[in-house]
Amino acid sequence: MTIQHRQTKQRAALLDLLRSTKSHPTAAWLYERLRAAYPAMSQGTVYRNLSVLAEQGLVLVLRSGSTYDRFDADTSVHYHIMCESCGRVDDLPLSAETFRNAEAERVSGYLVTGHRIDYFGICPECQKSKKGGFPGTGT
Ligand code: ZN
Ligand code: MN
């Protein structure tokens, strides 16, 4: 098998794995689950393959300033909500407000190609497990 063929196979397996989860995993999470089947693969390879898939428009990169990037095989326009307690990331079932693009264009003079809105809070599981309340939430 050529190196190129092997890389293509690894990338396909990576995309399959990402498509099988709704958890918006990190590169490390994906690497942990692929290393048994691809022992020669490094975490750097996983990261590079994710970059290639993102360039091809097959994967969304969810960049967060403070923690590691997360990845999403659902490339449709949708919003995310992140738990400030456990770090989990969920899709937010709100319609994406694409009208904002036109509004942003009008006030900025930019040609707007998209926008991001991220929500933050405490997930239902963390609300249940922590009785002491959360700072700033009034609970
Ligand atoms: Zn949580
Ligand atoms: Mn998502």
Side-chain angles (χ1 to χ4, degrees):
M1 199 187 294
T2 65
I3 288 173
Q4 204 168 6
H5 185 196
R6 194 175 72 203
Q7 285 173 348
T8 306
K9 264 189 73 177
Q10 287 178 0
R11 199 173 301 147
L14 179 62
L15 188 57
D16 279 350
L17 177 60
L18 190 57
R19 282 178 172 160
S20 75
T21 177
K22 297 290 286 173
S23 71
H24 308 91
T26 60
W29 187 97
L30 293 159
Y31 170 65
E32 281 304 315
R33 277 150 190 83
L34 286 172
R35 60 192 287 194
Y38 301 93
M41 190 179 55
S42 69
Q43 193 166 327
T45 308
V46 170
Y47 213 89
R48 270 194 304 281
N49 280 332
L50 287 165
S51 300
V52 171
L53 291 168
E55 276 167 30
Q56 292 172 342
L58 295 169
V59 159
L60 279 185
V61 186
L62 311 182
R63 299 191 192 285
S64 77
S66 56
T67 51
Y68 299 103
D69 289 345
R70 288 166 168 273
F71 298 89
D72 193 347
D74 178 0
T75 56
S76 67
V77 178
H78 63 288
Y79 298 153
H80 294 99
I81 186 160
M82 179 189 264
C83 179
E84 292 176 308
S85 182
C86 68
R88 109 181 206 198
V89 177
D90 286 306
D91 288 334
L92 193 63
L94 285 179
S95 64
E97 297 180 340
T98 48
F99 68 85
R100 287 178 188 276
N101 293 352
E103 216 171 278
E105 245 171 36
R106 189 173 55 76
V107 299
S108 70
Y110 273 60
L111 177 63
V112 173
T113 54
H115 71 269
R116 268 185 64 174
I117 298 181
D118 294 321
Y119 288 78
F120 303 91
I122 309 297
C123 77
E125 276 68 36
C126 287
Q127 289 177 55
K128 268 181 252 158
S129 65
K130 192 165 174 184
K131 301 271 185 273
F134 293 92
T137 58
T139 59

